[in-house]
Amino acid sequence: MTPDRRWTAKDLGDLTGRKFIVTGANSGLGEVTARALGGAGADVLLACRDTAKGDAVARSIGPRAHVRRLDLADLESVRSFASTVDSVDVLINNAGVMAVPFRRTADGFEMQFGTNHLGHFALTGLLASKVTDRVVTLSSGLHQIGRIHLDDPNYERRSYRRWPAYGQSKLANLMFALEFDRRLAAVGSELKSVAAHPGYARTNLQGRTESFQDTVMAIGGKMLAQSAEMGALPELYAATSPEVTSGLYIGPDGRSELSDYPTIVGPSSRARDRAVASALWSKSEELTGVRFAPVGG
């Protein structure tokens, strides 16, 4: 159901007793999300690669916020983190990298595909039986420029291009969320899989290209982007609203979904390709070694 009015963090209600994991919560959208959840009374686990920054955020939130190290670019770290979690109501797959120079993860994956998609795929698979309510996975409006190259997802034979690589990773995020929903429905699970995207928001995700594009994005961000607080609203709504059902994609309701308040938006035709989504799932299991255990109702 689409919100019948402009939904904001003030509409979170009382989240006392609810437990959330937010990946990448040491800065940007993740930090805003963690602060909003903690401010509403939730217990928040900040899953961060940079635990020093995470600790600073957690201290500002209060005693219900805790930090644990998670490096999504290292499957050993993902497994270690998952082993420490007993139960959680909501997992928010928020962390990501954007348009970085060509690098590989600890396991040899292209950094954007490995961090944004494979790391979260593995994390969700390892935690799925411990999540009681829903999984929210962040995509991007730039998923529309992506294509899933199942024969070479990690740029072992193709020439690396940072923006198409980012688009592939964000398309993979969205396809994963939708495919997870279909698989949950097939076994009658009450667990929800929801996708969200922030529109164009000012965060430190921009400015990591290590090229002239950093300057261009900094200027564009100041002139055109909405605040991180506004950009976090779709994931907050997706993670907390009782009106959200599994399989939805939540984004801003403004022009071209670049800004404004959360609403239901539509995935691209590529994101709705079930055959590719199923093949991507199988490829992701193969690459990560993580297979999802059945999650019943």
Side-chain angles (χ1 to χ4, degrees), residues 57-75:
V57 175
R59 284 194 298 271
S60 70
I61 294 173
R64 289 185 299 272
H66 303 278
V67 178
R68 204 164 294 160
R69 189 175 188 278
L70 170 65
D71 184 354
L72 290 160
D74 184 345
L75 290 178

mmCIF file of all heavy atoms in Angstrom, residues 57-75:
data_model
loop_
_atom_site.group_PDB
_atom_site.id
_atom_site.type_symbol
_atom_site.label_atom_id
_atom_site.label_comp_id
_atom_site.label_asym_id
_atom_site.label_seq_id
_atom_site.Cartn_x
_atom_site.Cartn_y
_atom_site.Cartn_z
ATOM 1 N N VAL A 57 29.004 6.652 16.315
ATOM 2 C CA VAL A 57 27.576 6.760 16.010
ATOM 3 C C VAL A 57 26.755 6.089 17.104
ATOM 4 O O VAL A 57 25.755 6.642 17.587
ATOM 5 C CB VAL A 57 27.262 6.131 14.637
ATOM 6 C CG1 VAL A 57 25.753 6.128 14.387
ATOM 7 C CG2 VAL A 57 27.974 6.889 13.518
ATOM 8 N N ALA A 58 27.186 4.899 17.512
ATOM 9 C CA ALA A 58 26.447 4.160 18.531
ATOM 10 C C ALA A 58 26.386 4.933 19.844
ATOM 11 O O ALA A 58 25.341 4.965 20.506
ATOM 12 C CB ALA A 58 27.079 2.788 18.750
ATOM 13 N N ARG A 59 27.488 5.549 20.233
ATOM 14 C CA ARG A 59 27.489 6.325 21.485
ATOM 15 C C ARG A 59 26.497 7.480 21.421
ATOM 16 O O ARG A 59 25.832 7.802 22.411
ATOM 17 C CB ARG A 59 28.901 6.859 21.760
ATOM 18 C CG ARG A 59 29.870 5.809 22.284
ATOM 19 C CD ARG A 59 31.114 6.469 22.850
ATOM 20 N NE ARG A 59 31.851 7.232 21.857
ATOM 21 C CZ ARG A 59 32.802 6.748 21.077
ATOM 22 N NH1 ARG A 59 33.137 5.453 21.171
ATOM 23 N NH2 ARG A 59 33.428 7.512 20.211
ATOM 24 N N SER A 60 26.377 8.077 20.247
ATOM 25 C CA SER A 60 25.442 9.205 20.111
ATOM 26 C C SER A 60 23.989 8.745 20.115
ATOM 27 O O SER A 60 23.088 9.524 20.444
ATOM 28 C CB SER A 60 25.735 9.981 18.823
ATOM 29 O OG SER A 60 25.385 9.228 17.672
ATOM 30 N N ILE A 61 23.754 7.482 19.758
ATOM 31 C CA ILE A 61 22.387 6.945 19.765
ATOM 32 C C ILE A 61 21.973 6.563 21.175
ATOM 33 O O ILE A 61 20.847 6.828 21.603
ATOM 34 C CB ILE A 61 22.276 5.732 18.816
ATOM 35 C CG1 ILE A 61 22.489 6.179 17.364
ATOM 36 C CG2 ILE A 61 20.911 5.043 18.972
ATOM 37 C CD1 ILE A 61 22.570 5.029 16.383
ATOM 38 N N GLY A 62 22.887 5.919 21.897
ATOM 39 C CA GLY A 62 22.579 5.520 23.256
ATOM 40 C C GLY A 62 22.788 4.038 23.493
ATOM 41 O O GLY A 62 23.278 3.311 22.619
ATOM 42 N N PRO A 63 22.410 3.545 24.663
ATOM 43 C CA PRO A 63 22.728 2.172 25.068
ATOM 44 C C PRO A 63 22.056 1.071 24.256
ATOM 45 O O PRO A 63 22.460 -0.089 24.345
ATOM 46 C CB PRO A 63 22.275 2.125 26.538
ATOM 47 C CG PRO A 63 21.240 3.206 26.670
ATOM 48 C CD PRO A 63 21.704 4.293 25.739
ATOM 49 N N ARG A 64 21.046 1.402 23.469
ATOM 50 C CA ARG A 64 20.384 0.373 22.656
ATOM 51 C C ARG A 64 21.115 0.117 21.342
ATOM 52 O O ARG A 64 20.718 -0.763 20.576
ATOM 53 C CB ARG A 64 18.930 0.771 22.372
ATOM 54 C CG ARG A 64 18.006 0.707 23.582
ATOM 55 C CD ARG A 64 16.563 1.002 23.183
ATOM 56 N NE ARG A 64 16.438 2.329 22.622
ATOM 57 C CZ ARG A 64 16.224 3.428 23.346
ATOM 58 N NH1 ARG A 64 16.125 3.329 24.659
ATOM 59 N NH2 ARG A 64 16.117 4.612 22.769
ATOM 60 N N ALA A 65 22.170 0.885 21.079
ATOM 61 C CA ALA A 65 22.933 0.718 19.845
ATOM 62 C C ALA A 65 24.254 0.018 20.132
ATOM 63 O O ALA A 65 24.947 0.350 21.102
ATOM 64 C CB ALA A 65 23.186 2.076 19.202
ATOM 65 N N HIS A 66 24.586 -0.938 19.297
ATOM 66 C CA HIS A 66 25.821 -1.697 19.456
ATOM 67 C C HIS A 66 26.503 -1.847 18.106
ATOM 68 O O HIS A 66 25.856 -1.757 17.060
ATOM 69 C CB HIS A 66 25.526 -3.074 20.049
ATOM 70 C CG HIS A 66 24.802 -3.016 21.368
ATOM 71 N ND1 HIS A 66 25.430 -2.809 22.571
ATOM 72 C CD2 HIS A 66 23.473 -3.112 21.654
ATOM 73 C CE1 HIS A 66 24.551 -2.781 23.541
ATOM 74 N NE2 HIS A 66 23.345 -2.963 23.019
ATOM 75 N N VAL A 67 27.799 -2.083 18.140
ATOM 76 C CA VAL A 67 28.598 -2.169 16.917
ATOM 77 C C VAL A 67 29.262 -3.541 16.833
ATOM 78 O O VAL A 67 29.749 -4.073 17.834
ATOM 79 C CB VAL A 67 29.687 -1.072 16.893
ATOM 80 C CG1 VAL A 67 30.554 -1.207 15.642
ATOM 81 C CG2 VAL A 67 29.060 0.303 16.965
ATOM 82 N N ARG A 68 29.268 -4.090 15.643
ATOM 83 C CA ARG A 68 29.987 -5.335 15.404
ATOM 84 C C ARG A 68 30.630 -5.245 14.020
ATOM 85 O O ARG A 68 30.033 -4.703 13.092
ATOM 86 C CB ARG A 68 29.028 -6.520 15.473
ATOM 87 C CG ARG A 68 29.699 -7.848 15.813
ATOM 88 C CD ARG A 68 28.673 -8.869 16.235
ATOM 89 N NE ARG A 68 28.019 -8.497 17.483
ATOM 90 C CZ ARG A 68 26.849 -8.985 17.881
ATOM 91 N NH1 ARG A 68 26.200 -9.837 17.118
ATOM 92 N NH2 ARG A 68 26.322 -8.606 19.027
ATOM 93 N N ARG A 69 31.824 -5.763 13.892
ATOM 94 C CA ARG A 69 32.550 -5.625 12.636
ATOM 95 C C ARG A 69 31.965 -6.532 11.555
ATOM 96 O O ARG A 69 31.694 -7.707 11.781
ATOM 97 C CB ARG A 69 34.032 -5.947 12.808
ATOM 98 C CG ARG A 69 34.845 -5.596 11.569
ATOM 99 C CD ARG A 69 36.341 -5.787 11.765
ATOM 100 N NE ARG A 69 37.071 -5.252 10.626
ATOM 101 C CZ ARG A 69 37.254 -5.914 9.474
ATOM 102 N NH1 ARG A 69 36.760 -7.143 9.334
ATOM 103 N NH2 ARG A 69 37.909 -5.357 8.473
ATOM 104 N N LEU A 70 31.783 -5.951 10.381
ATOM 105 C CA LEU A 70 31.337 -6.695 9.202
ATOM 106 C C LEU A 70 31.978 -6.080 7.975
ATOM 107 O O LEU A 70 31.756 -4.909 7.670
ATOM 108 C CB LEU A 70 29.807 -6.642 9.062
ATOM 109 C CG LEU A 70 29.240 -7.191 7.746
ATOM 110 C CD1 LEU A 70 29.514 -8.698 7.616
ATOM 111 C CD2 LEU A 70 27.753 -6.904 7.629
ATOM 112 N N ASP A 71 32.776 -6.871 7.276
ATOM 113 C CA ASP A 71 33.361 -6.447 6.002
ATOM 114 C C ASP A 71 32.715 -7.277 4.904
ATOM 115 O O ASP A 71 33.011 -8.467 4.745
ATOM 116 C CB ASP A 71 34.878 -6.659 6.019
ATOM 117 C CG ASP A 71 35.553 -6.155 4.756
ATOM 118 O OD1 ASP A 71 34.847 -5.746 3.804
ATOM 119 O OD2 ASP A 71 36.803 -6.178 4.693
ATOM 120 N N LEU A 72 31.822 -6.663 4.165
ATOM 121 C CA LEU A 72 31.087 -7.380 3.124
ATOM 122 C C LEU A 72 31.953 -7.795 1.955
ATOM 123 O O LEU A 72 31.529 -8.592 1.121
ATOM 124 C CB LEU A 72 29.919 -6.521 2.637
ATOM 125 C CG LEU A 72 28.783 -6.353 3.643
ATOM 126 C CD1 LEU A 72 27.935 -5.140 3.307
ATOM 127 C CD2 LEU A 72 27.919 -7.607 3.702
ATOM 128 N N ALA A 73 33.170 -7.252 1.889
ATOM 129 C CA ALA A 73 34.113 -7.619 0.833
ATOM 130 C C ALA A 73 34.986 -8.795 1.244
ATOM 131 O O ALA A 73 36.004 -9.076 0.607
ATOM 132 C CB ALA A 73 34.990 -6.418 0.470
ATOM 133 N N ASP A 74 34.587 -9.490 2.304
ATOM 134 C CA ASP A 74 35.351 -10.631 2.816
ATOM 135 C C ASP A 74 34.361 -11.644 3.371
ATOM 136 O O ASP A 74 33.753 -11.426 4.417
ATOM 137 C CB ASP A 74 36.313 -10.152 3.908
ATOM 138 C CG ASP A 74 37.216 -11.265 4.440
ATOM 139 O OD1 ASP A 74 36.934 -12.454 4.180
ATOM 140 O OD2 ASP A 74 38.204 -10.932 5.126
ATOM 141 N N LEU A 75 34.178 -12.764 2.677
ATOM 142 C CA LEU A 75 33.174 -13.742 3.088
ATOM 143 C C LEU A 75 33.492 -14.362 4.443
ATOM 144 O O LEU A 75 32.575 -14.764 5.166
ATOM 145 C CB LEU A 75 33.022 -14.833 2.027
ATOM 146 C CG LEU A 75 32.372 -14.388 0.711
ATOM 147 C CD1 LEU A 75 32.312 -15.554 -0.274
ATOM 148 C CD2 LEU A 75 30.965 -13.836 0.952
#
